[in-house]
Amino acid sequence: MAHVLIGFAEALPAPEVFFSLHDAGHTVSAFAREGCRAPITRHLPLVGLHEIAAPERDAAASAAQLRAIFDGPDAPELVLPLDDAALWLTGRAELSAGRIAGAEGSRSRLALDKTLQVAAAEAAGFAVPRTVVVQRAADLSAPLPYPAIAKPALAIAERDGAIAKDKVHYLDGASDAARLAREIEAGGDDAAPLLVQPLIAGVGEGLFGFATAQGVTHWSGHRRLRMMNPHGSGSSACAALTPEPELIAAATRFVEAAEWRGPFMIELLRDAAGTAWFMELNGRMWGSMALARGRGLDYPAWAVAQAQEPGYAPPVGSTSETDPTEARHLGRDLLHLLFVLRGPKTDFYREGWPRIGESLSGVLRPRRDRVSYNAHPDFPGFAMREALYTLRCGLGGRG
């Protein structure tokens, strides 16, 4: 068994990853931004909590402090990054080989650069929305697929010694593109590249697997039942689905070309015509881990096992009729209701905006085949504490 450092502790998957490693017999510590009050830091038995400088304020200090954890007493054997910021930070910290139970080198670059992902997805045979790469303001003079979304090409951008997640822009027409071009010009050399794609209405899906040197195994999938924010966000509830063979074939080509190892998630958006459009690769842990773990797919523990033994292959198993078919995060589901009541920001979302009656029924109706995020029999009450923390943060309070 190993001592595994996970982080950031405030990341959405943190509790489920802790449970996975705890059940596998590992000891777990965590790193968090200074002042973090996430429930995992107060209500789960971590063997250590390391508060480090927020990379959003000082990336160099954050990386140095993460690296120092491995030079100190009771140093962990491995670190498992839980979100994009942590994935970026583990690369910046220049940890010694074999210490990261996750993407490194070219795999990390692929996980953090959506320009690389779009090219790889097209080569693998995924349906990819028409994409315009915007490196400078003049690129916005090209014909654009209105209504469009302009999203950051980099999951994490660094400028002036700090990291940031750049914002998404919605473009209804040429006037919006012109306004964005002026913003890019004002940003000068610090402006990060953007991907402009048509705004597609549809339902989000996830395609998951575990990549080994012998191939990809333990496929699973889900579709979003509810988004926390219907304008676009992570899910607050999802349902299991069986991945289609064509998508599995494309994903296999994608991860094999990248020489990927360990767990991965490919986000898709299925439109009304049935086309599943490639959105992005999540090359680290994801929020809906409760559904996979409820169905016997213990991706976090397997990632650690593979880091310990590169030839590791997860045990063969299958789901049964008693497996959960739905998972939901109570706090995010309650925030979903508030977003639905607030209503859509633009006309694009008005037609498909969730009906409050349907949302209320989905959130409040009990289901025997549903599991809750962050619930574990060894830690009763934790799921409720985490839900309340999420709700307070979502309402603008301090967790």
Side-chain angles (χ1 to χ4, degrees), residues 150-190:
K151 56 188 180 183
L154 302 178
I156 297 293
E158 181 183 8
R159 58 177 67 90
D160 296 328
I163 68 168
K165 284 183 174 287
D166 290 330
K167 63 181 180 179
V168 170
H169 303 267
Y170 295 96
L171 310 178
D172 288 329
S175 62
D176 291 331
R179 183 165 50 252
L180 179 57
R182 290 192 294 272
E183 288 186 24
I184 293 174
E185 288 177 341
D189 294 337
D190 286 337

Side-chain angles (χ1 to χ4, degrees), residues 1 3 13 64 68 76 92 101 139 151 168 230 297 343 350 360 391-392:
M1 296 299 103
H3 173 189
R92 176 67 179 272
D139 294 331
K151 56 188 180 183
V168 170
L297 299 163
R350 195 169 304 281
L360 281 169
L391 193 58
R392 286 197 298 271

Side-chain angles (χ1 to χ4, degrees), residues 129-394:
R130 178 191 160 202
T131 303
V132 177
V133 181
V134 176
Q135 299 280 0
R136 58 190 188 279
D139 294 331
L140 285 165
S141 62
L144 300 178
Y146 300 118
I149 182 170
K151 56 188 180 183
L154 302 178
I156 297 293
E158 181 183 8
R159 58 177 67 90
D160 296 328
I163 68 168
K165 284 183 174 287
D166 290 330
K167 63 181 180 179
V168 170
H169 303 267
Y170 295 96
L171 310 178
D172 288 329
S175 62
D176 291 331
R179 183 165 50 252
L180 179 57
R182 290 192 294 272
E183 288 186 24
I184 293 174
E185 288 177 341
D189 294 337
D190 286 337
L194 297 168
L195 302 183
V196 179
Q197 296 175 328
L199 199 55
I200 300 172
V203 177
E205 296 183 1
L207 178 62
F208 313 86
F210 191 88
T212 72
Q214 293 73 40
V216 184
T217 66
H218 294 78
W219 293 96
S220 64
H222 78 214
R223 63 179 176 87
R224 287 177 175 172
L225 295 175
R226 292 178 293 280
M227 283 190 287
M228 182 182 72
N229 181 351
H231 289 108
S233 73
S235 63
S236 62
C238 56
L241 58 76
T242 300
E244 298 168 1
E246 296 82 3
L247 293 177
I248 287 179
T252 299
R253 292 189 291 268
F254 184 99
V255 299
E256 288 183 349
E259 298 183 337
W260 193 266
R261 294 294 180 268
F264 62 88
M265 172 191 184
I266 291 175
E267 287 195 16
L268 305 164
L269 186 66
R270 192 174 296 273
D271 66 17
T275 300
W277 297 96
F278 175 90
M279 291 289 107
E280 65 179 5
L281 165 73
N282 277 332
R284 36 71 181 169
M285 300 295 103
W286 52 88
S288 60
M289 194 66 70
L291 182 59
R293 293 193 62 246
R295 298 173 69 83
L297 299 163
D298 223 356
Y299 294 122
W302 296 346
V304 168
Q306 189 182 62
Q308 293 177 299
E309 182 184 344
Y312 172 82
V316 177
S318 62
T319 59
S320 70
E321 293 180 359
T322 61
D323 288 325
T325 59
E326 183 179 315
R328 71 93 165 266
H329 187 294
L330 177 59
R332 291 167 73 90
D333 245 357
L334 294 174
L335 289 173
H336 165 83
L337 293 178
L338 295 177
F339 277 112
V340 171
L341 286 169
R342 189 176 299 169
K345 291 182 178 179
T346 68
D347 289 340
F348 176 83
Y349 293 98
R350 195 169 304 281
E351 182 177 348
W353 194 253
R355 296 180 179 178
I356 185 59
E358 293 176 356
S359 290
L360 281 169
S361 176
V363 171
L364 300 179
R365 185 181 66 248
R367 289 182 62 104
R368 288 188 175 183
D369 59 346
R370 180 167 64 196
V371 292
S372 294
Y373 287 33
N374 309 326
H376 192 287
D378 289 351
F379 308 102
F382 178 82
M384 183 58 68
R385 291 189 181 99
E386 207 282 333
L388 292 173
Y389 170 84
T390 299
L391 193 58
R392 286 197 298 271
C393 291

